[in-house]
Amino acid sequence: IFFIYLVTTVFMLPLWGFHMTCGYVYGTFWAALLIATTQAICAGAAFSTSRYLVGPYIRETLQKRYGKKFTAIDKAVGEDGLRITLLLRLSPIIPFGMNNYLCGCTGMKLSDFVIGTWLGVLPGTTAYCNMGSMGKQVLDQGTTPLQKGVMALGLVAALAVIKLLSDLATNALKEAGIDGDEDTKKTK
């Protein structure tokens, strides 16, 4: 599992169904713990690759292009890296793989990034692993109509919580001056 995640994280490849498959095989708790930990470690590897291999060149380019604005964002991210990473992971404002490399080009501490990533991916990862675990239960044991209703309600509640967390994180990032739509507006 670690090797698959490492390769897909470093090369920013999709992992459709991976979380649910692990939930099916290992159960919700162990799959979520395993995948969230693997995601955090692999994201830290991509972060470090970015920081030490291409970070200086990208920082220089960003500094030239955005000047004081980049300096201010870099300072804020460096001082509040754990919170910013947690919010970025809860919000879909920046894709997972790109976030690893972008954060590596800032003054953020690696420990803040890894811990924030682990905490930020845990809700969504747990929900997807739970879907796989429920699928196994349905296939192995069958279900009564009441169990199906409870599972459906649990699934809807989990997705609603993820949406709520995502919206809260996106709004907090906007308040902090990190808005994914800003660059899109400039290029139009």
Side-chain angles (χ1 to χ4, degrees):
I1 290 176
F2 181 81
F3 180 73
I4 292 169
Y5 236 103
L6 180 63
V7 170
T8 58
T9 300
V10 170
F11 293 106
M12 294 191 290
L13 302 172
L15 278 172
W16 298 300
F18 189 71
H19 296 73
M20 288 185 273
T21 302
C22 285
Y24 182 89
V25 173
Y26 299 111
T28 302
F29 177 79
W30 292 112
L33 184 64
L34 177 66
I35 290 175
T37 302
T38 301
Q39 282 178 306
I41 292 168
C42 293
F47 174 97
S48 297
T49 300
S50 173
R51 170 155 296 167
Y52 298 110
L53 292 182
V54 295
Y57 307 107
I58 293 173
R59 285 180 65 84
E60 183 180 322
T61 302
L62 291 171
Q63 185 65 47
K64 285 179 185 174
R65 182 162 183 192
Y66 298 106
K68 290 181 181 179
K69 185 174 182 177
F70 172 72
T71 303
I73 290 172
D74 186 38
K75 182 180 179 199
V77 168
E79 291 173 357
D80 203 8
L82 178 64
R83 180 175 162 268
I84 296 294
T85 302
L86 177 62
L87 293 172
L88 285 170
R89 293 306 190 192
L90 290 170
S91 170
I93 200 166
I94 299 175
F96 188 89
M98 187 178 293
N99 190 10
N100 299 333
Y101 291 104
L102 289 175
C103 288
C105 295
T106 68
M108 184 183 299
K109 290 189 278 185
L110 175 62
S111 59
D112 286 349
F113 180 75
V114 170
I115 293 167
T117 294
W118 190 83
L119 292 171
V121 300
L122 204 53
T125 296
T126 303
Y128 290 126
C129 290
N130 190 46
M131 283 186 230
S133 182
M134 286 190 309
K136 181 177 182 172
Q137 181 181 356
V138 168
L139 289 174
D140 289 351
Q141 301 169 0
T143 56
T144 66
L146 178 61
Q147 287 173 319
K148 287 178 186 174
V150 170
M151 284 182 188
L153 185 61
L155 179 61
V156 169
L159 294 174
V161 167
I162 290 169
K163 172 72 170 127
L164 176 67
L165 287 172
S166 175
D167 291 346
L168 289 171
T170 300
N171 289 335
L173 287 168
K174 285 180 183 176
E175 289 174 13
I178 300 171
D179 184 356
D181 294 333
E182 190 172 307
D183 292 332
T184 315
K185 292 175 189 171
K186 284 182 181 178
T187 57
K188 288 184 179 178

